[in-house]
Amino acid sequence: MDFSFLYYGAQGLAGLVAFVTIWGWLPLDNWWVRGVDFPRIQIMILGIIAWIGMVAFGSDWQLVQWLLFGALSIALAFQFRMVLPYTMLWKKEVLNAKDKPNVQEHQLKIMVSNVLTTNDDTYKLVELVQQKQPDILITLESDEKWEKALNQIEADYSYTVKVPLDNLYGMHLYSKLELIDPKVKYLIIDDIPSIHTQLRLQGGRVIWLYCLHPMPPSPTEADKSTTRDAELLMVGKHIKDNEQTAILAGDLNDVAWSKTTRRFQRISGLLDPRIGRHFINTFHVDYPFLRWALDHLFHSPCFTVIDIQRLPSIGSDHFPVLTTLQYEPEKASKQEDNAPSEQAEDSKETENKIKAGKKEGSKLSKEHAEAQNNSN
């Protein structure tokens, strides 16, 4: 049987995987480059298929095939390196929580849900919250319709911050725990909010909570990732400069293995509880093969992990995520060693990115204001 068509198909796939991987190394913020950061799992799977295909169906290799196979192997090794930390094959960055007396005083359950503004199945989130009873609920893309629907849970949540917007960047925070001096800030773009607040844990310890939802690089929203990257790095730098105990959560419109997210971890000192455990691929609900993690939670080393789970669909294009942490300050010194170390160029690159992000944000703010005026 002639398998030559499979061999040529494997070569074509190998060339695509190698090209896409190299393309992603370009030092550009444009969406058509940064978009390659997202589907690394999918690229890796295609690379494995191509590698097996070339080995299984190739016979008489010429120089071109050897060069292509070498490029594919390098690309595949790179994709593996990006993805493997988010599997059980890697060392855990955050320890599993230990049983403690009065355990409820030390635990914190946080649910993050991008609800999708146009999603009318509001009851699904309400029912899920009533079932899971998180201490903190963060909703993204929530407008006045969602705010009205979530009135049903407010009896259980004494503290709220509400920013209903109809531009896909509305945000709501519901908390059973005391919020201290919460503020809504517009860090980079005038109509894209973030919530910054102190939070008193059940045991009395006060920490910081940051809720973010920056604009993604895409052909329909931001041409570049500059503002998204700047917002995340700005908050990370603030946490580090002020030596804060903090949790940062939200739909970051970025993946954990991107250059920016990894730099954020290095400059903030926050940990990623998914490392050494498993993927929490939250987007897109409707396309199982095209899923990656856009919804994140990072925290200071004084927290350990009880559980992280992706919750059932609520009709949005994102799955909700529920993370249960435990406050164990005695573990902080050990876990700090697991945090990625800051590199020599991080400080300068962060400053440059924040400066560029503010400039780009000013431009986008004007464009959004003009568009709003023209629609009125």
Side-chain angles (χ1 to χ4, degrees):
M1 185 174 180
D2 185 7
F3 291 104
S4 60
F5 72 98
L6 292 174
Y7 179 48
Y8 291 127
Q11 288 186 71
L13 189 56
L16 176 64
V17 169
F19 173 78
V20 169
T21 300
I22 294 169
W23 184 259
W25 293 341
L26 294 175
L28 300 174
D29 285 351
N30 304 78
W31 69 265
W32 36 268
V33 176
R34 295 281 58 85
V36 176
D37 286 336
F38 293 88
R40 295 211 181 279
I41 300 171
Q42 291 79 5
I43 294 170
M44 183 184 71
I45 292 172
L46 293 176
I48 293 171
I49 294 171
W51 198 94
I52 293 173
M54 289 192 70
V55 170
F57 302 114
S59 55
D60 184 21
W61 285 24
Q62 304 299 319
L63 178 61
V64 171
Q65 282 75 35
W66 282 110
L67 291 174
L68 179 59
F69 188 73
L72 172 62
S73 298
I74 293 171
L76 198 51
F78 174 78
Q79 300 296 349
F80 266 113
R81 176 60 183 85
M82 292 295 100
V83 169
L84 280 183
Y86 303 90
T87 71
M88 290 185 288
L89 298 176
W90 210 261
K91 178 185 176 182
K92 289 183 175 69
E93 193 165 279
V94 181
L95 299 171
N96 291 326
K98 301 296 183 182
D99 290 336
K100 302 182 72 170
N102 303 317
V103 68
Q104 291 298 326
E105 292 185 8
H106 305 280
Q107 292 184 3
L108 178 63
K109 294 171 65 175
I110 301 178
M111 183 186 294
V112 176
S113 181
N114 182 317
V115 300
L116 183 63
T117 301
T118 55
N119 174 20
D120 291 327
D121 294 337
T122 55
Y123 70 93
K124 290 184 178 181
L125 178 61
V126 171
E127 291 177 353
L128 195 59
V129 170
Q130 291 172 339
Q131 175 191 348
K132 298 296 184 179
Q133 288 294 314
D135 300 303
I136 303 289
L137 170 66
I138 302 166
T139 65
L140 299 317
E141 287 199 31
S142 40
D143 57 4
E144 290 183 355
K145 173 191 71 179
W146 277 94
E147 182 175 307
K148 182 178 179 181
L150 290 169
N151 285 341
Q152 298 177 64
I153 70 168
E154 284 199 42
D156 295 325
Y157 293 86
S158 302
Y159 304 90
T160 61
V161 181
K162 302 176 182 180
V163 195
L165 297 173
D166 58 5
N167 64 352
L168 304 181
Y169 293 97
M171 180 181 294
H172 288 70
L173 171 61
Y174 298 85
S175 177
K176 294 181 179 181
L177 305 177
E178 180 186 359
L179 301 180
I180 302 171
D181 194 24
K183 289 183 171 62
V184 177
K185 297 189 178 183
Y186 298 82
L187 296 175
I188 299 292
I189 302 176
D190 290 348
D191 57 354
I192 297 185
S194 57
I195 297 173
H196 305 221
T197 183
Q198 293 184 81
L199 173 71
R200 191 182 305 279
L201 301 179
Q202 292 186 52
R205 179 73 162 89
V206 175
I207 67 168
W208 282 88
L209 174 65
Y210 295 91
C211 310
L212 270 62
H213 184 204
M215 179 179 284
S218 79
T220 58
E221 297 195 57
D223 290 336
K224 298 180 179 180
S225 66
T226 312
T227 58
R228 177 201 68 183
D229 300 345
E231 182 169 337
L232 183 59
L233 293 174
M234 184 184 296
V235 175
K237 182 177 183 298
H238 178 80
I239 290 169
K240 183 65 172 290
D241 289 347
N242 292 277
E243 299 182 346
Q244 293 177 345
T245 298
I247 294 172
L248 181 144
D251 172 5
L252 301 184
N253 278 312
D254 199 3
V255 283
W257 46 69
S258 78
K259 181 186 296 185
T260 297
T261 306
R262 288 181 290 135
R263 175 167 288 140
F264 158 77
Q265 274 202 266
R266 294 196 299 269
I267 66 168
S268 67
L270 301 191
L271 306 180
D272 186 343
R274 294 165 298 186
I275 291 179
R277 289 185 170 85
H278 49 85
F279 302 112
I280 306 290
N281 292 334
T282 56
F283 175 91
H284 192 288
V285 167
D286 296 332
Y287 308 112
F289 184 69
L290 292 175
R291 280 183 188 160
W292 38 76
L294 294 187
D295 302 275
H296 305 260
L297 184 145
F298 300 96
H299 59 79
S300 291
C302 56
F303 289 98
T304 54
V305 173
I306 294 174
D307 187 41
I308 312 172
Q309 56 178 310
R310 189 179 72 186
L311 301 176
S313 170
I314 60 164
S316 172
D317 49 356
H318 290 243
F319 291 100
V321 178
L322 181 66
T323 306
T324 307
L325 304 176
Q326 185 159 292
Y327 181 61
E328 296 189 60
E330 64 273 16
K331 300 290 179 63
S333 58
K334 182 176 182 179
Q335 294 199 141
E336 284 171 356
D337 295 335
N338 296 337
S341 301
E342 188 169 351
Q343 299 177 1
E345 72 276 9
D346 282 337
S347 179
K348 182 179 180 180
E349 288 296 321
T350 296
E351 293 291 347
N352 290 341
K353 185 67 72 173
I354 292 173
K355 183 178 179 181
K358 288 181 176 179
K359 182 178 179 180
E360 183 72 12
S362 178
K363 172 188 170 185
L364 290 173
S365 295
K366 292 177 182 178
E367 291 177 1
H368 292 183
E370 290 173 1
Q372 182 66 32
N373 290 335
N374 291 337
S375 66
N376 292 335

